[in-house]
Amino acid sequence: MSHGRFGRLLLRSTLGILPLLLGVTLISFSLTVHFGPDQTWEMLGRNPTPEQVASVRQQLGYDRPFVVRYADYLVRLGRFDLGYSQASGEPVLALLGRTLPVSVALLAPGFVLGIGLALALALGASWRPGGFIGRLCSATSAVGMSLSLVIVVIALQALFAVWLDWFPVRGWAVDGPASYLRHVAIPTLALIAAQLGYSLRFFHAVVQATLNDAPVRTARALGLPRRRILTRYVLRAALLPILTRIVFAMPLVLISGSLIIESHFGVPGLGRVTWEAINSGDQPVLMAVVSLSAVLFVLALGFADLLGRLVDPRIRPT
Amino acid sequence: MSCARLPGPVVLVFLLLTGCQQQASPEPLKVYRHALDGVPSSLDPAHADDIYAATLVGNLYDTLYRYKYLARPHELTPNLAADFPQVSDDGLTYRIRLREDARFADDPAFPGGHGRAVTAEDVVYSLKRHFLAETRSRGDWLWRGRIVGLDPDTRLDTPDQPVAGLAAEDRSTVRIRLGAPYPQFAHTLAMALSAIVPREAVEHYGREFGVHPVGSGPFRLVHFDESRAVLEPNPHFRRGPIDLDAEGYDAELHHGYALEGVDGKAYPLLDRLEIHFIPEPTGRWTSFISGSGVDFVMVPPELSERVLVGREPPMFSREMRQRYHSRHAVEAGFAFYGFNMANPAIGHNPDPRRAQRNRALRCAMRDAFDWDSRNRSFHHGLGHIFPGAIPPLLPDFDARLSGDSTAHRPERARQRLADADWSPDRLPELVYGMEASVHQRQMFEQFRSWMDAIGYPAGKLSARTFASFGEYARAIGNRRLDIFLLGWTLAYPDAQYSLQLFYGPNAAPGANSFNYANEDFDRLFELAATLPPGPERTRLYRQLNEMVIDDCVLIGSISRTRLYLWKRHVRMLPDTEMGNGEFLRFVDVIEGSAE
């Protein structure tokens, strides 16, 4: 694909996500304003007067019309001015800058290893249906999808942190590679266990379907080595759905995965901050996270679309 | 085992994971890891009205007074103040002299980054700051209408605006003039809300002051996030030596905690204090029992079965006593059900006959309530049930007061309803408020079943749920709930703090969530609130307590028992209830004996 064509494709994808982004922010802003917690009473002292209640509401901007608030929010979002956390006073941008890398560092190993392991097992299982790896995959998928993440986390903590005392139970006192590995070990195992079942089942189905494709059948008939068939023909043909799933899973894991993992492991990442913001009704933080997740999803959508067009000539616009 | 002699990247990673790295980054000698069950949202003293923020603020900042480490009932002692205040004969003027050696911790907010001496101007500024709109103070109500010049509607535009009752007489003497005697005033100066802040830092950090604390307390902050705070000694803080006797040490009471080892030492005694925020009960417990976790835990009530062999009084199992230090204490607060007296269907009513019938209805509902069952079902038998609103922790608590108002007497409840001519079809429809949780829903169903047992139709008691405590508080403040469950934590050990819940001028949205309006009560409360501690004031407090019991304004109350465990290598006596976690400055760790 020429540079000019790629540029046009990128521009079209970018422009396409703008209305989507506007819709997503409007819905999430409306939900947060109308159904999110009112922070007024969290911020008042123990014996407030009606005047103080009114004053705090005014300071929080609750007395302004919805349209004005939404327009103001959009303008500030456009300027990357996310305001200050109402609870702590910390700039929201700094807060995201502080917590997002922690979430990525916490979740990336589990995400990457989980995807890699699922893919490897799916390829192995699909090559010889009914074999040992196939049966193992079926059992693993069933168990993985049946187990609650919370149960997995508690079991891993009990085994590795309390009984064996190899890793910290919780927290994020990371000051170097060694402490990072120690803190990330159990969350990584938990994340792998949580996503392996679903990923394995999906990849297995996709790879199995691809194995029946004519080019793969031809390659097998020609007696090409298994490794070459799997990497050159099967993986390449199955790349589109696999990439789409991986790209879409990223924001999901980052936001919702971190919400559970970070709360359980006491890790000061994006999920923990979001949880605190939900509980306290810290609207600027909540809106920033909602906007961020909306943007991430929309970007993932655009990215998946772009990737699809790059790897599969059949869906490129003529 | 030496890491260097073990080949192979896998083995290396394993070693990194399992402890070899400890050789590379040695831990400070004395580290104590404390656990809190919540996260402080801001470290600005003006926002520190909960135990989580107060624990941090109390150790990063100085208050003029603090509570003695070991003396119970709690006793004030000078902290940043050099001595107790000189109070004029009319009880209106307080003259407070500051220590000469107190300095703020080094911070970029100061010229050259060097902390300066704390002065009387800082005290004046710190109090005035509560009345600036941008501070969003949660503590201004403590001094509003009390200090001359800080009237109920006062809003300061700048901290330079003079306030008649607040002045720095010289560099180290503050003069505070009150409009009326306020014997609890010195207690308010021990609260984290009153901690002394430097104006330079507040102006330097602006809205971010809540995450950049700059104080003159025993510690300074080196790390703070949603998971933990790490504090190290403030090199400018020079206090001590610790005088255990002056702190209220009692050899009989405090035997076995090894506290004698800290006597005579300068404090703080730790090289590093870590405060871990662990809201999940099982997370706290798991962290405590693991080798590298926290050193202290307030045992979650749902796990009390694991650590106790008896409940009245609580007795820890032999295993727990052998492995850990242990202690139990009644909380500095209480929980109760309140009626909205502003609703004429159940509360005050201009028709005297209806008002009497409403009282009978409230009393009947109180009789129907089964506190023992509630204690067993939801507090694991660890609650201390008492009548009224003066909890057992306070010196004014009356242990001889009849428990009739907390007794479960459904027959009497039915009789009261019949005598007041209440029949199921005439009973009012009431709204019961609660936060959205399974626990709260179960409490509501239990409540409704007791009312059903005395003939109150279940359909006439409806529940309204709220997503957060803020929403719930708003509904109470707006008088939309007829029955509500609330907790009230004491900020200082004086019954005035709990009885203000019934003071007419404090009606919702103020602390009087009941909207109780009783002129006799208000008159006596105002009289009692100006009296110094003594038998006369205690008599008045108890009389006020009996008035609200007699009027059946509340169903209550219960104070929960806290169970504390801490590791054997830690020398301390924890108190998470009153004060600002000041005991942390006296914590010591026996070197080389950590688990």
Side-chain angles (χ1 to χ4, degrees), chain A residues 199-253:
Chain A
S199 299
L200 192 53
R201 200 170 184 83
F202 178 80
F203 293 152
H204 190 205
V206 170
V207 172
Q208 246 180 348
T210 314
L211 278 168
N212 293 326
D213 283 357
V216 179
R217 208 164 42 239
T218 309
R220 291 180 91 164
L222 286 172
L224 294 180
R226 184 175 71 169
R227 191 170 179 170
R228 190 168 168 197
I229 296 172
L230 286 176
T231 52
R232 288 275 182 88
Y233 297 90
V234 177
L235 258 188
R236 200 167 174 183
L239 202 56
L240 186 60
I242 289 173
L243 275 179
T244 307
R245 180 179 169 86
I246 292 172
V247 169
F248 272 99
M250 274 197 252
L252 195 73
V253 167

Short mmCIF file of all heavy atoms in Angstrom, two decimals, chain A residues 199-253:
data_model
loop_
_atom_site.label_atom_id
_atom_site.label_comp_id
_atom_site.label_asym_id
_atom_site.label_seq_id
_atom_site.Cartn_x
_atom_site.Cartn_y
_atom_site.Cartn_z
N SER A 199 -10.17 -16.83 25.72
CA SER A 199 -9.29 -16.65 24.57
C SER A 199 -9.05 -17.97 23.86
O SER A 199 -9.08 -18.06 22.63
CB SER A 199 -7.94 -16.06 25.01
OG SER A 199 -8.15 -14.82 25.60
N LEU A 200 -8.82 -19.01 24.66
CA LEU A 200 -8.53 -20.33 24.10
C LEU A 200 -9.69 -20.83 23.24
O LEU A 200 -9.50 -21.31 22.12
CB LEU A 200 -8.26 -21.29 25.25
CG LEU A 200 -7.67 -22.65 24.92
CD1 LEU A 200 -6.41 -22.51 24.08
CD2 LEU A 200 -7.34 -23.40 26.20
N ARG A 201 -10.89 -20.68 23.77
CA ARG A 201 -12.07 -21.15 23.04
C ARG A 201 -12.21 -20.39 21.71
O ARG A 201 -12.50 -20.97 20.67
CB ARG A 201 -13.30 -20.94 23.91
CG ARG A 201 -14.47 -21.81 23.49
CD ARG A 201 -15.57 -21.72 24.54
NE ARG A 201 -16.66 -22.62 24.20
CZ ARG A 201 -16.68 -23.91 24.49
NH1 ARG A 201 -15.65 -24.46 25.10
NH2 ARG A 201 -17.72 -24.67 24.15
N PHE A 202 -12.01 -19.09 21.78
CA PHE A 202 -12.16 -18.25 20.58
C PHE A 202 -11.08 -18.59 19.55
O PHE A 202 -11.38 -18.85 18.38
CB PHE A 202 -12.08 -16.77 20.98
CG PHE A 202 -12.18 -15.83 19.82
CD1 PHE A 202 -13.42 -15.53 19.27
CD2 PHE A 202 -11.05 -15.26 19.25
CE1 PHE A 202 -13.52 -14.67 18.18
CE2 PHE A 202 -11.14 -14.40 18.17
CZ PHE A 202 -12.37 -14.10 17.64
N PHE A 203 -9.82 -18.61 20.01
CA PHE A 203 -8.72 -18.87 19.07
C PHE A 203 -8.84 -20.27 18.48
O PHE A 203 -8.56 -20.50 17.30
CB PHE A 203 -7.37 -18.72 19.77
CG PHE A 203 -7.06 -17.31 20.20
CD1 PHE A 203 -6.23 -17.05 21.29
CD2 PHE A 203 -7.58 -16.21 19.52
CE1 PHE A 203 -5.94 -15.76 21.68
CE2 PHE A 203 -7.30 -14.92 19.90
CZ PHE A 203 -6.48 -14.69 21.00
N HIS A 204 -9.24 -21.22 19.31
CA HIS A 204 -9.38 -22.60 18.85
C HIS A 204 -10.40 -22.67 17.70
O HIS A 204 -10.15 -23.29 16.66
CB HIS A 204 -9.85 -23.47 20.03
CG HIS A 204 -9.80 -24.93 19.75
ND1 HIS A 204 -10.59 -25.84 20.40
CD2 HIS A 204 -9.06 -25.66 18.86
CE1 HIS A 204 -10.34 -27.05 19.92
NE2 HIS A 204 -9.41 -26.97 19.00
N ALA A 205 -11.53 -22.01 17.88
CA ALA A 205 -12.59 -22.01 16.86
C ALA A 205 -12.10 -21.36 15.57
O ALA A 205 -12.31 -21.88 14.47
CB ALA A 205 -13.82 -21.29 17.39
N VAL A 206 -11.39 -20.23 15.73
CA VAL A 206 -10.91 -19.50 14.55
C VAL A 206 -9.88 -20.32 13.79
O VAL A 206 -9.95 -20.47 12.56
CB VAL A 206 -10.31 -18.12 14.98
CG1 VAL A 206 -9.59 -17.46 13.81
CG2 VAL A 206 -11.39 -17.23 15.51
N VAL A 207 -8.93 -20.89 14.53
CA VAL A 207 -7.86 -21.66 13.89
C VAL A 207 -8.43 -22.91 13.22
O VAL A 207 -8.05 -23.27 12.10
CB VAL A 207 -6.76 -22.03 14.93
CG1 VAL A 207 -5.74 -22.98 14.33
CG2 VAL A 207 -6.07 -20.76 15.42
N GLN A 208 -9.36 -23.55 13.91
CA GLN A 208 -9.97 -24.76 13.33
C GLN A 208 -10.67 -24.44 12.01
O GLN A 208 -10.55 -25.18 11.03
CB GLN A 208 -10.97 -25.35 14.31
CG GLN A 208 -10.51 -26.70 14.79
CD GLN A 208 -11.47 -27.33 15.76
OE1 GLN A 208 -12.39 -26.69 16.26
NE2 GLN A 208 -11.24 -28.59 16.02
N ALA A 209 -11.37 -23.31 11.98
CA ALA A 209 -12.07 -22.92 10.76
C ALA A 209 -11.06 -22.64 9.64
O ALA A 209 -11.26 -23.01 8.48
CB ALA A 209 -12.92 -21.70 11.02
N THR A 210 -9.94 -22.01 10.01
CA THR A 210 -8.93 -21.66 9.01
C THR A 210 -8.25 -22.91 8.45
O THR A 210 -7.84 -22.93 7.29
CB THR A 210 -7.87 -20.72 9.65
OG1 THR A 210 -8.55 -19.72 10.38
CG2 THR A 210 -7.00 -20.07 8.61
N LEU A 211 -8.12 -23.93 9.31
CA LEU A 211 -7.46 -25.16 8.84
C LEU A 211 -8.22 -25.82 7.70
O LEU A 211 -7.66 -26.61 6.95
CB LEU A 211 -7.32 -26.14 10.01
CG LEU A 211 -6.10 -25.90 10.93
CD1 LEU A 211 -6.22 -26.74 12.19
CD2 LEU A 211 -4.81 -26.22 10.20
N ASN A 212 -9.50 -25.51 7.60
CA ASN A 212 -10.31 -26.10 6.52
C ASN A 212 -10.27 -25.25 5.25
O ASN A 212 -10.89 -25.61 4.25
CB ASN A 212 -11.76 -26.26 6.98
CG ASN A 212 -11.85 -27.30 8.08
OD1 ASN A 212 -11.11 -28.27 8.07
ND2 ASN A 212 -12.73 -27.07 9.04
N ASP A 213 -9.56 -24.11 5.30
CA ASP A 213 -9.47 -23.26 4.11
C ASP A 213 -8.68 -23.98 3.00
O ASP A 213 -7.76 -24.76 3.29
CB ASP A 213 -8.76 -21.94 4.44
CG ASP A 213 -9.68 -20.99 5.18
OD1 ASP A 213 -10.87 -21.35 5.36
OD2 ASP A 213 -9.22 -19.91 5.59
N ALA A 214 -9.01 -23.64 1.77
CA ALA A 214 -8.37 -24.30 0.63
C ALA A 214 -6.85 -24.13 0.62
O ALA A 214 -6.12 -25.12 0.43
CB ALA A 214 -8.99 -23.77 -0.66
N PRO A 215 -6.30 -22.90 0.86
CA PRO A 215 -4.83 -22.77 0.80
C PRO A 215 -4.13 -23.64 1.84
O PRO A 215 -3.08 -24.22 1.57
CB PRO A 215 -4.60 -21.28 1.10
CG PRO A 215 -5.90 -20.61 0.83
CD PRO A 215 -6.95 -21.61 1.10
N VAL A 216 -4.74 -23.74 3.04
CA VAL A 216 -4.11 -24.55 4.09
C VAL A 216 -4.16 -26.02 3.70
O VAL A 216 -3.19 -26.78 3.88
CB VAL A 216 -4.82 -24.31 5.45
CG1 VAL A 216 -4.21 -25.16 6.54
CG2 VAL A 216 -4.74 -22.83 5.83
N ARG A 217 -5.31 -26.43 3.15
CA ARG A 217 -5.44 -27.83 2.72
C ARG A 217 -4.40 -28.15 1.65
O ARG A 217 -3.77 -29.20 1.66
CB ARG A 217 -6.87 -28.06 2.20
CG ARG A 217 -7.30 -29.51 2.38
CD ARG A 217 -8.78 -29.74 2.26
NE ARG A 217 -9.40 -29.01 1.17
CZ ARG A 217 -10.39 -28.14 1.35
NH1 ARG A 217 -10.84 -27.89 2.56
NH2 ARG A 217 -10.92 -27.51 0.33
N THR A 218 -4.20 -27.21 0.75
CA THR A 218 -3.21 -27.42 -0.31
C THR A 218 -1.82 -27.56 0.28
O THR A 218 -1.05 -28.46 -0.09
CB THR A 218 -3.24 -26.21 -1.29
OG1 THR A 218 -4.58 -25.99 -1.70
CG2 THR A 218 -2.37 -26.47 -2.50
N ALA A 219 -1.51 -26.67 1.23
CA ALA A 219 -0.18 -26.71 1.85
C ALA A 219 0.04 -28.04 2.57
O ALA A 219 1.13 -28.61 2.53
CB ALA A 219 -0.04 -25.55 2.85
N ARG A 220 -1.00 -28.56 3.23
CA ARG A 220 -0.88 -29.84 3.92
C ARG A 220 -0.69 -30.96 2.90
O ARG A 220 0.09 -31.89 3.12
CB ARG A 220 -2.11 -30.11 4.78
CG ARG A 220 -2.21 -29.19 5.96
CD ARG A 220 -3.44 -29.49 6.80
NE ARG A 220 -3.16 -30.44 7.85
CZ ARG A 220 -3.94 -30.65 8.90
NH1 ARG A 220 -5.06 -29.94 9.02
NH2 ARG A 220 -3.64 -31.52 9.81
N ALA A 221 -1.43 -30.86 1.77
CA ALA A 221 -1.32 -31.89 0.73
C ALA A 221 0.08 -31.91 0.13
O ALA A 221 0.60 -32.96 -0.24
CB ALA A 221 -2.36 -31.63 -0.36
N LEU A 222 0.70 -30.75 0.06
CA LEU A 222 2.05 -30.66 -0.48
C LEU A 222 3.10 -31.15 0.52
O LEU A 222 4.27 -31.25 0.18
CB LEU A 222 2.36 -29.20 -0.87
CG LEU A 222 1.67 -28.69 -2.14
CD1 LEU A 222 1.90 -27.20 -2.31
CD2 LEU A 222 2.18 -29.43 -3.38
N GLY A 223 2.68 -31.41 1.74
CA GLY A 223 3.59 -31.95 2.75
C GLY A 223 4.51 -30.92 3.37
O GLY A 223 5.60 -31.25 3.84
N LEU A 224 4.08 -29.66 3.39
CA LEU A 224 4.92 -28.63 4.02
C LEU A 224 5.02 -28.89 5.53
O LEU A 224 4.11 -29.47 6.12
CB LEU A 224 4.31 -27.25 3.78
CG LEU A 224 4.28 -26.76 2.33
CD1 LEU A 224 3.64 -25.38 2.26
CD2 LEU A 224 5.67 -26.71 1.73
N PRO A 225 6.12 -28.44 6.13
CA PRO A 225 6.28 -28.69 7.57
C PRO A 225 5.16 -28.02 8.37
O PRO A 225 4.67 -26.95 7.99
CB PRO A 225 7.63 -28.04 7.90
CG PRO A 225 8.30 -27.81 6.61
CD PRO A 225 7.27 -27.74 5.55
N ARG A 226 4.83 -28.65 9.49
CA ARG A 226 3.71 -28.17 10.31
C ARG A 226 3.92 -26.73 10.77
O ARG A 226 3.04 -25.91 10.71
CB ARG A 226 3.58 -29.09 11.53
CG ARG A 226 2.38 -28.73 12.39
CD ARG A 226 2.21 -29.71 13.52
NE ARG A 226 3.25 -29.57 14.52
CZ ARG A 226 3.22 -30.15 15.71
NH1 ARG A 226 2.21 -30.94 16.02
NH2 ARG A 226 4.19 -29.98 16.58
N ARG A 227 5.14 -26.45 11.21
CA ARG A 227 5.43 -25.11 11.73
C ARG A 227 5.17 -24.05 10.66
O ARG A 227 4.63 -22.99 10.94
CB ARG A 227 6.88 -25.08 12.19
CG ARG A 227 7.22 -23.86 12.98
CD ARG A 227 8.58 -24.03 13.58
NE ARG A 227 8.95 -22.84 14.34
CZ ARG A 227 9.99 -22.78 15.12
NH1 ARG A 227 10.75 -23.85 15.29
NH2 ARG A 227 10.28 -21.68 15.76
N ARG A 228 5.60 -24.40 9.42
CA ARG A 228 5.45 -23.43 8.33
C ARG A 228 3.97 -23.21 7.99
O ARG A 228 3.53 -22.09 7.75
CB ARG A 228 6.21 -23.95 7.10
CG ARG A 228 6.32 -22.90 6.02
CD ARG A 228 7.29 -23.30 4.96
NE ARG A 228 7.15 -22.42 3.81
CZ ARG A 228 7.63 -22.69 2.61
NH1 ARG A 228 8.27 -23.82 2.40
NH2 ARG A 228 7.47 -21.84 1.62
N ILE A 229 3.24 -24.31 8.00
CA ILE A 229 1.80 -24.19 7.69
C ILE A 229 1.10 -23.33 8.74
O ILE A 229 0.33 -22.42 8.42
CB ILE A 229 1.15 -25.59 7.62
CG1 ILE A 229 1.74 -26.38 6.47
CG2 ILE A 229 -0.37 -25.48 7.48
CD1 ILE A 229 1.30 -27.83 6.43
N LEU A 230 1.43 -23.62 10.01
CA LEU A 230 0.74 -22.89 11.09
C LEU A 230 1.08 -21.39 11.08
O LEU A 230 0.20 -20.55 11.25
CB LEU A 230 1.11 -23.49 12.46
CG LEU A 230 0.45 -24.84 12.78
CD1 LEU A 230 0.97 -25.40 14.10
CD2 LEU A 230 -1.07 -24.70 12.85
N THR A 231 2.36 -21.08 10.89
CA THR A 231 2.74 -19.67 10.96
C THR A 231 2.46 -18.91 9.66
O THR A 231 1.98 -17.79 9.67
CB THR A 231 4.23 -19.52 11.32
OG1 THR A 231 4.98 -20.33 10.41
CG2 THR A 231 4.50 -19.95 12.75
N ARG A 232 2.78 -19.54 8.52
CA ARG A 232 2.66 -18.83 7.24
C ARG A 232 1.23 -18.79 6.71
O ARG A 232 0.81 -17.83 6.10
CB ARG A 232 3.54 -19.49 6.19
CG ARG A 232 5.01 -19.28 6.36
CD ARG A 232 5.43 -17.96 5.70
NE ARG A 232 6.85 -17.73 5.82
CZ ARG A 232 7.74 -18.18 4.93
NH1 ARG A 232 7.36 -18.86 3.87
NH2 ARG A 232 9.03 -17.94 5.09
N TYR A 233 0.51 -19.87 6.93
CA TYR A 233 -0.82 -19.97 6.29
C TYR A 233 -1.97 -19.81 7.29
O TYR A 233 -2.84 -18.97 7.10
CB TYR A 233 -0.95 -21.31 5.55
CG TYR A 233 0.03 -21.44 4.43
CD1 TYR A 233 1.29 -21.98 4.63
CD2 TYR A 233 -0.28 -20.97 3.15
CE1 TYR A 233 2.21 -22.06 3.60
CE2 TYR A 233 0.63 -21.05 2.11
CZ TYR A 233 1.88 -21.61 2.33
OH TYR A 233 2.78 -21.69 1.33
N VAL A 234 -1.92 -20.59 8.34
CA VAL A 234 -3.05 -20.57 9.30
C VAL A 234 -3.10 -19.23 10.04
O VAL A 234 -4.12 -18.53 10.03
CB VAL A 234 -2.94 -21.74 10.30
CG1 VAL A 234 -4.06 -21.68 11.33
CG2 VAL A 234 -2.98 -23.06 9.56
N LEU A 235 -1.99 -18.87 10.69
CA LEU A 235 -1.99 -17.64 11.48
C LEU A 235 -2.28 -16.42 10.61
O LEU A 235 -3.01 -15.51 11.01
CB LEU A 235 -0.63 -17.45 12.16
CG LEU A 235 -0.55 -17.80 13.64
CD1 LEU A 235 0.79 -17.40 14.22
CD2 LEU A 235 -1.67 -17.13 14.42
N ARG A 236 -1.73 -16.41 9.44
CA ARG A 236 -1.90 -15.26 8.55
C ARG A 236 -3.37 -15.11 8.14
O ARG A 236 -3.91 -14.01 8.15
CB ARG A 236 -1.03 -15.44 7.31
CG ARG A 236 -0.77 -14.18 6.60
CD ARG A 236 0.33 -14.38 5.60
NE ARG A 236 0.53 -13.21 4.78
CZ ARG A 236 1.38 -13.16 3.79
NH1 ARG A 236 2.12 -14.20 3.49
NH2 ARG A 236 1.52 -12.06 3.09
N ALA A 237 -3.98 -16.27 7.83
CA ALA A 237 -5.39 -16.21 7.41
C ALA A 237 -6.31 -15.86 8.57
O ALA A 237 -7.35 -15.22 8.39
CB ALA A 237 -5.80 -17.55 6.80
N ALA A 238 -5.90 -16.29 9.80
CA ALA A 238 -6.77 -16.05 10.97
C ALA A 238 -6.43 -14.74 11.67
O ALA A 238 -7.01 -14.41 12.71
CB ALA A 238 -6.61 -17.20 11.96
N LEU A 239 -5.50 -14.01 11.09
CA LEU A 239 -4.98 -12.82 11.78
C LEU A 239 -6.06 -11.77 12.07
O LEU A 239 -6.07 -11.16 13.14
CB LEU A 239 -3.87 -12.20 10.94
CG LEU A 239 -2.88 -11.30 11.69
CD1 LEU A 239 -2.25 -12.05 12.84
CD2 LEU A 239 -1.79 -10.80 10.74
N LEU A 240 -6.97 -11.60 11.12
CA LEU A 240 -7.96 -10.53 11.28
C LEU A 240 -8.83 -10.71 12.54
O LEU A 240 -8.88 -9.82 13.39
CB LEU A 240 -8.81 -10.40 10.02
CG LEU A 240 -9.78 -9.24 10.00
CD1 LEU A 240 -9.05 -7.91 10.11
CD2 LEU A 240 -10.61 -9.26 8.71
N PRO A 241 -9.53 -11.84 12.69
CA PRO A 241 -10.32 -11.98 13.91
C PRO A 241 -9.47 -12.01 15.18
O PRO A 241 -9.89 -11.49 16.22
CB PRO A 241 -11.06 -13.32 13.72
CG PRO A 241 -10.34 -14.03 12.64
CD PRO A 241 -9.71 -12.99 11.78
N ILE A 242 -8.27 -12.58 15.07
CA ILE A 242 -7.41 -12.64 16.26
C ILE A 242 -6.99 -11.24 16.68
O ILE A 242 -7.09 -10.85 17.85
CB ILE A 242 -6.17 -13.54 15.99
CG1 ILE A 242 -6.61 -15.00 15.92
CG2 ILE A 242 -5.12 -13.35 17.06
CD1 ILE A 242 -5.53 -15.96 15.48
N LEU A 243 -6.55 -10.45 15.71
CA LEU A 243 -6.12 -9.07 16.01
C LEU A 243 -7.29 -8.25 16.55
O LEU A 243 -7.15 -7.47 17.49
CB LEU A 243 -5.57 -8.40 14.75
CG LEU A 243 -4.10 -8.67 14.46
CD1 LEU A 243 -3.68 -7.96 13.17
CD2 LEU A 243 -3.21 -8.21 15.60
N THR A 244 -8.45 -8.43 15.91
CA THR A 244 -9.63 -7.68 16.36
C THR A 244 -9.92 -7.99 17.81
O THR A 244 -10.17 -7.10 18.62
CB THR A 244 -10.85 -8.04 15.48
OG1 THR A 244 -10.50 -7.86 14.12
CG2 THR A 244 -12.04 -7.16 15.81
N ARG A 245 -9.86 -9.27 18.16
CA ARG A 245 -10.15 -9.63 19.54
C ARG A 245 -9.10 -9.03 20.49
O ARG A 245 -9.44 -8.49 21.55
CB ARG A 245 -10.17 -11.15 19.69
CG ARG A 245 -10.47 -11.54 21.13
CD ARG A 245 -10.53 -13.01 21.37
NE ARG A 245 -10.55 -13.24 22.80
CZ ARG A 245 -11.64 -13.23 23.54
NH1 ARG A 245 -12.81 -13.01 22.98
NH2 ARG A 245 -11.57 -13.42 24.84
N ILE A 246 -7.83 -9.12 20.09
CA ILE A 246 -6.77 -8.61 20.96
C ILE A 246 -6.92 -7.10 21.15
O ILE A 246 -6.86 -6.59 22.27
CB ILE A 246 -5.37 -8.95 20.38
CG1 ILE A 246 -5.15 -10.46 20.43
CG2 ILE A 246 -4.28 -8.23 21.14
CD1 ILE A 246 -3.90 -10.94 19.72
N VAL A 247 -7.16 -6.40 20.05
CA VAL A 247 -7.26 -4.94 20.12
C VAL A 247 -8.46 -4.53 20.98
O VAL A 247 -8.38 -3.63 21.81
CB VAL A 247 -7.37 -4.34 18.70
CG1 VAL A 247 -7.74 -2.87 18.77
CG2 VAL A 247 -6.05 -4.50 17.97
N PHE A 248 -9.56 -5.24 20.81
CA PHE A 248 -10.75 -4.89 21.60
C PHE A 248 -10.59 -5.27 23.07
O PHE A 248 -11.19 -4.64 23.94
CB PHE A 248 -11.99 -5.57 21.02
CG PHE A 248 -12.65 -4.74 19.97
CD1 PHE A 248 -12.42 -4.98 18.63
CD2 PHE A 248 -13.46 -3.68 20.32
CE1 PHE A 248 -13.00 -4.20 17.65
CE2 PHE A 248 -14.04 -2.89 19.34
CZ PHE A 248 -13.82 -3.15 18.00
N ALA A 249 -9.81 -6.31 23.31
CA ALA A 249 -9.64 -6.75 24.70
C ALA A 249 -8.78 -5.77 25.49
O ALA A 249 -8.90 -5.68 26.71
CB ALA A 249 -9.02 -8.14 24.73
N MET A 250 -7.94 -5.01 24.79
CA MET A 250 -6.99 -4.14 25.50
C MET A 250 -7.67 -3.11 26.39
O MET A 250 -7.40 -3.07 27.60
CB MET A 250 -6.05 -3.47 24.49
CG MET A 250 -4.85 -4.33 24.15
SD MET A 250 -3.58 -3.35 23.40
CE MET A 250 -3.66 -3.91 21.75
N PRO A 251 -8.56 -2.26 25.85
CA PRO A 251 -9.21 -1.30 26.76
C PRO A 251 -10.08 -1.98 27.81
O PRO A 251 -10.16 -1.51 28.95
CB PRO A 251 -10.07 -0.44 25.82
CG PRO A 251 -10.12 -1.14 24.53
CD PRO A 251 -8.97 -2.06 24.46
N LEU A 252 -10.67 -3.11 27.43
CA LEU A 252 -11.53 -3.83 28.38
C LEU A 252 -10.70 -4.31 29.57
O LEU A 252 -11.08 -4.14 30.74
CB LEU A 252 -12.19 -5.01 27.68
CG LEU A 252 -13.35 -5.64 28.42
CD1 LEU A 252 -14.57 -4.73 28.35
CD2 LEU A 252 -13.71 -6.99 27.80
N VAL A 253 -9.55 -4.90 29.27
CA VAL A 253 -8.68 -5.39 30.34
C VAL A 253 -8.14 -4.22 31.15
O VAL A 253 -8.10 -4.25 32.38
CB VAL A 253 -7.52 -6.23 29.73
CG1 VAL A 253 -6.44 -6.49 30.76
CG2 VAL A 253 -8.05 -7.54 29.20
#
